[in-house]
Amino acid sequence: WVHAHPPGQASRASSSAVQMRNVTGVWLLLLAGALFLVTRTPPRHALQRPAEAALLLRRRREESVSRLAVERSSRIDAHAAASATASTTAPAVTAAAVMTAATHSAGASAAGTERPFFGAGQSREAAQSVATAIEKQRQPKEGALWGNVQASWTQAERESDNVRRLLQADGMSSWRPDASLLPPQRPANASMEQLLQYVPKGGTAWLAFGNSGVTEMLLNWAHHVIQRGYSRQMVIAAFDETLLLSLHERRLPAYNYTGALPITHFRHAPHLFHRMGYLKADCIRLVLETGRDVLVS
């Protein structure tokens, strides 16, 4: 038996089926469009304006400072007593106390003129690295530090100063770390092995470099390293005496790498830029030879 519909009824059923398919197709297109918009909409934090992001960063830093102040309150009496004892035994530190020649370093050690918490000279391996950097990358014969790129150097300095002013406005110039979170301070002629005393063999040392032209950037880096609990694993290699003194003032672990580079910006002076490259690579080698891994910033 075959069940057949009248011609008019079959036509109406066919038309209804087509309409249903059309409606279903429209709904599927609307659903696909909604999903596309949802997945393409950037997260809320990505829509924040730069000013809002800067305000958020400042608030987070203020919260961090407040938290450290609370943690420090339980230790402040002991730390003050230790600082008072050190101040009565340590003479004033001047830039002249930092000697960059290997012979001066050896002479200071032999004569017993090292001062507590600072000292004179630099380690034998640092002095050797500095001497090699100077020998391999000598100043051009014409004696022009910047050659014909004075305008480019001025632009580079302006760009760097803009970043420094932002960090200064954020309070980095007056920032002081909690000394109780730091390793014991080493003298200026400390070796890399001494500076990494609290990093176990096979552990990771956090290493940064710079001259006084990027002081605030290095302090900002140190602030975040300390905040994350790696204060006893970090070392900053200082390319000039001004930065070295600033780091020692804050009791931050510093490797005396002075003697080969100026305190000014030098990215447009090829021989100085190459010296810096050599010093960085050699400093990484020194860390690796102590049996530690190294994370370079």
Side-chain angles (χ1 to χ4, degrees):
W1 293 91
V2 177
H3 182 73
H5 295 283
Q9 186 176 354
S11 176
R12 286 193 298 273
S14 176
S15 176
S16 298
V18 171
Q19 290 178 356
M20 282 296 290
R21 284 196 298 270
N22 290 339
V23 171
T24 302
V26 170
W27 277 108
L28 288 175
L29 286 174
L30 290 174
L31 180 60
L35 290 174
F36 176 78
L37 291 176
V38 169
T39 57
R40 293 287 293 178
T41 302
R44 182 178 179 82
H45 65 78
L47 299 176
Q48 289 182 322
R49 293 174 296 178
E52 296 174 345
L55 179 60
L56 179 61
L57 177 62
R58 182 182 293 275
R59 287 177 178 174
R60 287 180 177 176
R61 187 182 298 281
E62 291 174 351
E63 292 172 358
S64 174
V65 171
S66 299
R67 184 172 62 255
L68 289 175
V70 172
E71 295 174 354
R72 185 167 58 245
S73 62
S74 62
R75 300 185 294 265
I76 192 169
D77 291 337
H79 176 59
S83 299
T85 302
S87 64
T88 60
T89 58
V93 175
T94 63
V98 185
M99 309 300 291
T100 57
T103 54
H104 289 162
S105 177
S109 298
T113 59
E114 295 182 3
R115 300 169 183 173
F117 305 119
F118 193 70
Q122 59 189 160
S123 66
R124 179 185 56 81
E125 61 267 24
Q128 182 176 351
S129 296
V130 169
T132 303
I134 295 174
E135 176 64 27
K136 298 296 184 182
Q137 295 293 332
R138 292 189 174 276
Q139 184 173 334
K141 292 182 179 179
E142 62 270 19
L145 185 62
W146 310 112
N148 296 320
V149 291
Q150 182 67 30
S152 298
W153 170 77
T154 302
Q155 177 62 24
E157 188 174 50
R158 185 182 300 113
E159 293 171 359
S160 179
D161 286 346
N162 287 338
V163 177
R164 295 189 67 182
R165 280 191 287 270
L166 287 173
L167 291 171
Q168 289 168 0
D170 204 28
M172 289 314 304
S173 298
S174 59
W175 173 73
R176 295 294 185 277
D178 183 352
S180 66
L181 302 176
L182 300 172
Q185 191 171 32
R186 300 299 182 186
N189 62 355
S191 66
M192 188 60 71
E193 180 67 47
Q194 291 174 313
L195 291 170
L196 298 178
Q197 176 184 353
Y198 291 92
V199 182
K201 300 288 185 178
T204 301
W206 291 50
L207 185 61
F209 310 85
N211 66 358
S212 55
V214 294
T215 299
E216 291 81 7
M217 302 177 203
L218 288 170
L219 295 180
N220 184 63
W221 176 83
H223 165 77
H224 288 287
V225 173
I226 294 172
Q227 189 179 49
R228 282 156 179 74
Y230 296 99
S231 56
R232 291 177 175 259
Q233 295 178 231
M234 68 176 179
V235 174
I236 300 175
F239 290 142
D240 63 67
E241 297 175 0
T242 303
L243 175 61
L244 185 67
L245 288 167
S246 181
L247 296 175
H248 273 274
E249 177 190 358
R250 293 168 173 80
R251 302 182 67 85
L252 294 171
Y255 188 62
N256 184 357
Y257 233 12
T258 63
L261 298 171
I263 64 174
T264 55
H265 300 281
F266 51 81
R267 77 182 190 189
H268 295 292
H271 72 289
L272 295 179
F273 198 81
H274 292 160
R275 284 184 190 178
M276 179 186 67
Y278 172 83
L279 291 173
K280 285 185 175 182
D282 210 40
C283 193
I284 293 171
R285 175 187 63 82
L286 292 173
V287 174
L288 295 176
E289 287 182 349
T290 68
R292 283 91 171 175
D293 295 333
V294 58
L295 177 63
V296 181
S297 297

